[in-house]
Amino acid sequence: MRKLRFLPLILIIPIIFCIKIYREFDVEKMRDEIEKRYSQVVLDDRDNIIGAYLNSEEQWQIKGVEIPPRLKLAVLNYEDRKFYSHNGVDYLAIVRAVKTNLLEKRRVGASTITMQGVKLYKRRERTYLSKIEEIIESYKLEKYLSKDEILELYLNNAPYGSNIVGYETASQLYFGKSAKNLTWAEGATLAVLPNSPGLIWIEKNRDKLLNKRNNLLKNMYERGVIDEKQYRLSIKEELPKERKYFNSLAPHLTRRLVNEYDDRIIKSTINSELQKNIERIAREYGDYLNNRGIKNTAIIVVDNHSGEVKSYVGSQNFYDFQRNGQVDGVVAQRSVGSVLKPFLYALSIDEGLITPKSKLLDVPLYFSNFNPQNANKKYQGLVEAREALKKSLNIPFVKLLDEYGVDNFFYFLKDIIDFPERDYSNYGLSLILGTKEMSVENIAKLYYGLSQYGEFKDLKYIRDDKKIDGRKLISKGASYLALEAMQGVQRYGIDNLYLGRDGIAWKTGTSYGQRDAWAGGISPRWSVVVWCGNFTGEGNRNISGVVTAGQLLFKIFKVLPTENESFIKPSEELKKVEIDSETGYRLRYDVPSEEIDYPKDTKNLKVSPYYKKVFINSKGEEIDSRSKDFIESKEKIVLSYPIELLDYMARENISISNVRDEKIKIIYPLNNIKIFLPKDFEERKRLIVKVANPKNKKLYWYHNGKYIFSGRDRERAFDFLEGEHRLTLVSESGEVVEVKFYILRGK
């Protein structure tokens, strides 16, 4: 009786133990922790792996999302035929296993797939107690998860030899394909491997593995799972001879994505075939550039229909360690040269400042102490705005930016790119020449926005259903006119590449010091931006936006799928405006005119700055109200070009009709500016005074009221001392001009 008193206690303890095990087993925690084990992989736009990374345990473990039927049937027939009928435990199997273990001194298992799933999670030592724990936890697992979820859990965590875990990983590394494409023989191979992965795998004990696979196939045939033909063909399949490797495409992007996203499976927008082709071009062209001292390239290709990035090349070759191939040139900040000019062109149209036919000054000009020059050091006098864009002339665009406003253009860029700087004054008018550093990604975003007729959006690297809102910053009409002008770009030396490539609007740029070569191209289907240079920042006389980057741009367009599209003219967004034929601005006076397309919803187009109304006497002489003949005078509309243009034309012996202006002007220095003059190697640097004197008049020079000399010089050097200076010029016809300026001397 005394012994019986402890019987309830003896019975209660196991019950309490089982309850404790059951309650402490957290299924959600299990799923969360298993989720963290998976390797991060990046897929292309067709769900093929383009990048895979070891997990925290230095294992390859790719999460499979849908078990293929062939693998599923093979596993069930090999591991657990009663899987869908039991509640996590096969009692008959356990009894048989215990009997075999005790009587035959041979260890056999009786674990169901559910129990194996628990075992793979906990990874306990093999004892009878641990087996009891597995049974209890299996019960709970079956309560909270479906059979398919349990099977998926098991196969995603099953060991397949070495550091390969999970059926999808094994399929990729053994057969070089996704598990959804497995044959019956391959499915059977993956079914038997987890049974003894340390003993049997493709590079070890291959005969044993082959026998186990074929025995499983035979059993499946005998059970009617596969037919005779499938069986005969399957047993003839050879085992893979060696382990394969994951595809590695767009490595700069895949590494970027796994750092930005916690998802185990990242579905990118990259097109593998296109990426392979463009990576090949980058390697081959990179080798060509290397022989010219240019070591690095970067490329991005955007699908205009979706905004998805289809190719991303951060360097000429990721594995080129000698040329810093692992640097991601797509996100590196570089001086962008002239690739921003199309946007100022379009914005200026929207602002009513120009039409494509408006004449812009292209002569030497000074803006405070800033003296921009064209790349070829040549000038055209007056040039149409569209021609200035086609030829990438610096002077007209600096002058245009001065009129449009540096602040307006700066904040336009900031609205799209969202860079941290806030002070536009750090860049000044040189902003349009590329002094603001940007990345290939930034420029691609801008060019993609232009392809969308002025609606700017973020680029897409991840496939999702999320709609990206855009910002309408340029009108459709102005965007179209910019694209139209860019289609007319012609560059000597690479015309064999772009001639015949209709429907491509493009622009190139070269940074100061020939450090960076850029080219951006837009077709109705694609936006492409390329950069060539050196990641170290060193300049090279061979670096040219046209030749260096332009060639690469059209090599890329050559491999892009085309649809024979052309840019659609947004006729509903355009109207006809009448302009004067001579200068290309809004018609105001009775002069020859023509009609052109112009955006509807823009500011009113300004009138020509080159026409003015004058009064003439009976002799045809220009007079003013002080003349006694003024009452009888007649109005006349004449061209009045800026004196800088007239002076340039005079220097170049180019005549302009109807020139009546006989003024003189001090071009440099400008009034009230401060000029810093450092020392040079031989002497103190002298100030070069520049004068516009179209009629080549004799001039009398005065410094601080004191006469110094006379002559017809248009330039003269002075060794002015530090401080305030006043320079006065008097022409032989009596005209007087004067400037005041300040000299700051270096030591």
Side-chain angles (χ1 to χ4, degrees), residues 56-179:
S56 59
E57 299 179 10
E58 299 296 309
Q59 293 177 323
W60 296 111
Q61 186 174 0
I62 298 172
K63 183 180 181 182
V65 293
E66 186 175 351
I67 302 170
R70 290 173 180 173
L71 175 62
K72 183 176 182 178
L73 289 170
V75 170
L76 293 177
N77 276 270
Y78 186 74
E79 292 282 2
D80 192 353
R81 291 174 61 196
K82 298 179 182 179
F83 175 68
Y84 282 94
S85 61
H86 62 63
N87 58 359
V89 182
D90 187 343
Y91 295 104
L92 290 177
I94 291 175
V95 172
R96 288 195 299 270
V98 171
K99 181 180 176 183
T100 302
N101 291 336
L102 293 176
L103 299 179
E104 300 181 20
K105 307 294 184 183
R106 179 167 58 89
R107 297 199 68 174
V108 296
S111 295
T112 62
I113 287 176
T114 308
M115 294 170 67
Q116 291 186 66
V118 170
K119 187 189 300 181
L120 290 171
Y121 166 58
K122 288 294 186 77
R123 300 175 183 175
R124 305 180 181 93
E125 293 184 10
R126 295 183 65 179
T127 63
Y128 288 109
L129 185 61
S130 66
K131 184 64 68 177
I132 294 172
E133 291 180 24
E134 288 171 12
I135 292 171
I136 296 170
E137 291 170 349
S138 296
Y139 274 121
K140 190 168 184 178
L141 195 63
E142 291 270 346
K143 181 179 178 181
Y144 284 90
L145 300 183
S146 69
K147 286 289 187 179
D148 287 341
E149 288 176 325
I150 292 171
L151 183 60
E152 183 181 295
L153 183 148
Y154 163 68
L155 284 174
N156 272 323
N157 291 274
Y160 283 91
S162 185
N163 64 342
I164 300 172
V165 181
Y167 73 93
E168 183 64 39
T169 318
S171 180
Q172 294 281 350
L173 294 180
Y174 291 152
F175 305 112
K177 59 178 145 181
S178 173

Side-chain angles (χ1 to χ4, degrees), residues 402-414:
D402 188 42
E403 190 171 1
Y404 181 77
V406 176
D407 55 342
N408 292 330
F409 191 63
F410 177 88
Y411 290 116
F412 160 78
L413 296 173
K414 185 172 175 61

Side-chain angles (χ1 to χ4, degrees), residues 444-598:
K445 191 174 178 180
L446 287 166
Y447 274 67
Y448 167 62
L450 193 58
S451 80
Q452 303 301 296
Y453 293 91
E455 185 175 5
F456 295 87
K457 303 177 182 178
D458 290 332
L459 303 179
K460 292 181 68 173
Y461 295 102
I462 302 294
R463 288 179 284 134
D464 54 34
D465 297 325
K466 182 180 169 184
K467 183 180 178 183
I468 299 177
D469 294 328
R471 288 160 290 174
K472 193 69 178 176
L473 300 176
I474 300 176
S475 72
K476 281 189 176 181
S479 298
Y480 175 78
L481 294 175
L483 290 168
E484 189 177 49
M486 292 166 69
Q487 288 181 84
V489 172
Q490 296 182 356
R491 295 289 186 268
Y492 178 77
I494 63 167
D495 51 350
N496 62 310
L497 291 173
Y498 65 78
L499 289 179
R501 299 286 299 180
D502 296 333
I504 296 177
W506 61 295
K507 183 73 184 72
T508 62
T510 308
S511 70
Y512 179 77
Q514 291 182 280
R515 292 178 172 86
D516 310 276
W518 293 84
I522 305 169
S523 74
R525 175 68 189 280
W526 304 102
S527 292
V528 182
V529 176
V530 306
W531 168 88
C532 304
N534 295 306
F535 289 150
T536 57
E538 62 188 280
N540 187 301
R541 61 183 179 85
N542 293 316
I543 289 178
S544 161
V546 174
V547 178
T548 310
Q551 287 195 69
L552 179 57
L553 178 75
F554 284 98
K555 285 179 180 291
I556 292 168
F557 268 112
K558 193 173 181 180
V559 302
L560 294 177
T562 58
E563 300 174 356
N564 296 319
E565 294 180 289
S566 57
F567 292 108
I568 299 172
K569 184 177 181 178
S571 300
E572 74 285 355
E573 301 288 337
L574 295 169
K575 64 181 179 181
K576 293 292 184 180
V577 297
E578 198 169 8
I579 62 171
D580 71 86
S581 301
E582 181 67 26
T583 70
Y585 293 89
R586 180 163 63 89
L587 185 66
R588 180 179 181 183
Y589 303 110
D590 186 17
V591 296
S593 64
E594 62 182 291
E595 285 190 339
I596 64 167
D597 289 323
Y598 200 72

